[in-house]
Amino acid sequence: MAKGKKIKKGKNWKKFWKLGIDEFNTQFFGISKDGAMTMTEGHHVYNVADLAKKYGTPLQVIFPSIIEFRLKDLIGYFNAYIKIYGYKGKFFYHYPMKVNQNKEFILPLLSEGANLEVTSANELWIVKKLWEGEKFHTKLRVLCNGPKSDPYLDLIEELRSKGMNIVPIIEGPEEIERLSKYKGDIGLRVDLNIKADTHWDKKFDRFGLSEKEVLDLPKMKNLKMMHYHLGSQIKTQKSILDGLKHAFSIYAELTKTHPNLETLDIGGGFGVPYEKKKFYTAKGVSSKIIKLLKHLSDKAGIRHPNLAIEWGQYIVAPSQVTIYKVISEKNIPKANAKAWYIVDGSFMNDLKDTWAIHQKWHVVPANNMTSNKTKRVWLAGSTCDSDDKYTEGGNYIMMPQIEEGDTQLVAILDTGAYQDALASRHCLLAPPVKIVAQDGTIKIARKRESSESIAKLFGWNGEK
Ligand SMILES: *Cc1c(COP(=O)(O)O)cnc(C)c1O
């Protein structure tokens, strides 16, 4: 903190920046004495501003301990409610790999007991490598969603023949015949005829079999699982439970022709409170799901189904922070915000959903967090694209005023879901450096790309 800045004594800055709050998933984040953002892992404390200074910006910091904590917590809730309500089915967590395929995410999830769900042959190839390296338990189950290209189906068959517990999920009518001959368990995906409260327009869904197709299916002895997925970032608990109720009615009907059916997979979609407003909780929803499933299956007189869930975003989003440095400030004459803070990375490249689905983020300064002189700003990236900006939906972001000669860092929280595989290199900006903070040490997971390595991606192979 530079001299001369006024600090109002006693202000609860942690609360002001919404850090240290369980229901916002910021319980591990805080503020150091000198106003820097911190992350606490057991007895270790990481100073995020120092990390940005040491490793440079743009920077992504992954905290595997948060991933582990969140999964352990979630599995704990479900298993506890299963016991409390005397539910007879088992609980299975499947991590949907598409949410973040980075090794630094997958390995901690496996160590906490996650099963996997993949969507493509290339994701499955990673699973194959893990399998060959004996990186997971032989009982781990892999669900295969998405349309099955021939290479994808071939790899599924290959891994099954090697003894992997791998379950393809029928995605369309043309897969029924081939998969009914599959020598292991299979599942199917049903396109539920209801609309969940997400931004996804279900009217034009193209995933899975229609409810009618499901109920008209020929008998398949190996059909063990019925799966559905309502969409991502479901806004209300009611939507989750309404979807479950509706899906259960189809599940119960299907068990009449398919008595081997044993698992209901309710997919992903559990939301993250990106905007730090009141939100439903995993504790509350897990209790309601088990209670509802018990009630419905007892009423229908069928065996309590095993429950599989694929909540991806919920588990991994809060475990990564993206940090930028402000490199320029420009006044805005007439708007909700007074100035643009232009940062040294790109929202359009590194946090693609900012542009694609108008994602809102939890944005805080990573230093000067206790400065009383704040300013309403909009943030802009360094590409030449007018869409490369973050304005909190035309509202504003609160940031410290920048004193002459001072460096201002901006931290974007909850960036661990989806952004990495969607990322791009518009204007050939380099993506953030990726570091992993665990057990009190820092490991560089991905170095900064050089001009040469970026140019190579576009065919420039060492021309003179
Ligand atoms: C994307 C997806 C998920 C994960 O969704 P989240 O919103 O991240 O929980 C799970 N299952 C399927 C089939 C998906 O397509």
Side-chain angles (χ1 to χ4, degrees), residues 97-291:
M97 266 181 83
K98 77 160 192 284
V99 184
N100 194 321
Q101 301 95 338
N102 280 292
K103 192 173 171 181
E104 298 76 24
F105 282 74
I106 304 283
L107 294 183
L109 287 162
L110 292 177
S111 81
E112 287 304 324
N115 294 279
L116 294 170
E117 185 260 354
V118 303
T119 359
S120 69
N122 290 341
E123 286 181 356
L124 189 54
W125 184 87
I126 294 175
V127 177
K128 175 182 165 171
K129 290 288 138 186
L130 286 167
W131 170 258
E132 289 171 352
E134 299 183 20
K135 289 279 195 294
F136 59 72
H137 198 278
T138 46
K139 279 194 187 142
L140 180 141
R141 186 173 58 188
V142 182
L143 305 180
C144 299
N145 266 307
K148 316 288 179 305
S149 62
D150 284 335
Y152 191 9
L153 276 169
D154 291 346
L155 190 52
I156 292 171
E157 294 279 10
E158 178 196 324
L159 293 174
R160 188 204 52 76
S161 70
K162 287 180 174 161
M164 188 188 284
N165 183 3
I166 181 165
V167 181
I169 308 291
I170 295 171
E171 161 71 30
E174 65 296 328
E175 290 177 8
I176 295 173
E177 208 190 305
R178 177 151 180 195
L179 289 178
S180 62
K181 293 187 199 115
Y182 181 74
K183 293 209 180 69
D185 294 349
I186 59 168
L188 63 81
R189 175 164 176 173
V190 53
D191 175 10
L192 293 184
N193 202 6
I194 54 163
K195 192 168 163 33
D197 205 358
T198 78
H199 82 268
W200 185 8
D201 187 351
K202 282 283 287 186
K203 251 194 288 187
F204 303 108
D205 195 349
R206 64 180 183 282
F207 301 100
L209 303 170
S210 72
E211 294 180 6
K212 184 167 184 316
E213 281 168 332
V214 166
L215 295 176
D216 291 346
L217 275 178
K219 204 170 157 87
M220 291 181 288
K221 268 205 193 122
N222 55 347
L223 183 68
K224 295 285 178 68
M225 176 181 281
M226 187 187 111
H227 161 67
Y228 69 92
H229 174 66
L230 292 170
S232 273
Q233 192 63 15
I234 297 172
K235 289 184 191 138
T236 60
Q237 166 176 295
K238 183 173 182 302
S239 247
I240 296 176
L241 297 173
D242 285 352
L244 178 61
K245 225 183 275 177
H246 185 82
F248 182 86
S249 65
I250 297 161
Y251 179 90
E253 197 58 33
L254 193 60
T255 54
K256 291 182 186 158
T257 46
H258 293 80
N260 291 336
L261 200 61
E262 61 184 19
T263 301
L264 180 61
D265 174 355
I266 72 172
F270 200 94
V272 169
Y274 289 104
E275 297 183 55
K276 309 303 162 193
K277 292 180 185 152
K278 206 169 159 47
F279 213 72
Y280 57 82
T281 64
K283 184 167 188 278
V285 174
S286 54
S287 159
K288 293 200 168 68
I289 286 176
I290 298 296
K291 207 168 159 182

Side-chain angles (χ1 to χ4, degrees), residues 396-417:
Y396 60 85
I397 300 106
M398 197 69 96
M399 276 288 135
Q401 281 182 33
I402 303 176
E403 311 280 333
E404 207 165 311
D406 213 2
T407 300
Q408 186 57 53
L409 299 166
V410 179
I412 325 278
L413 279 81
D414 304 320
T415 62

Side-chain angles (χ1 to χ4, degrees), residues 308-351:
I309 65 161
E310 304 173 358
W311 295 345
Q313 182 153 221
Y314 168 80
I315 295 290
V316 299
S319 58
Q320 179 180 287
V321 176
T322 302
I323 299 135
Y324 295 124
K325 185 168 77 188
V326 180
I327 52 173
S328 171
E329 176 176 355
K330 290 186 174 168
N331 287 331
I332 309 171
K334 266 187 198 155
N336 287 335
K338 298 284 176 250
W340 286 105
Y341 276 10
I342 296 157
V343 301
D344 57 355
S346 162
F347 289 92
M348 219 167 161
N349 284 348
D350 317 329
L351 300 168

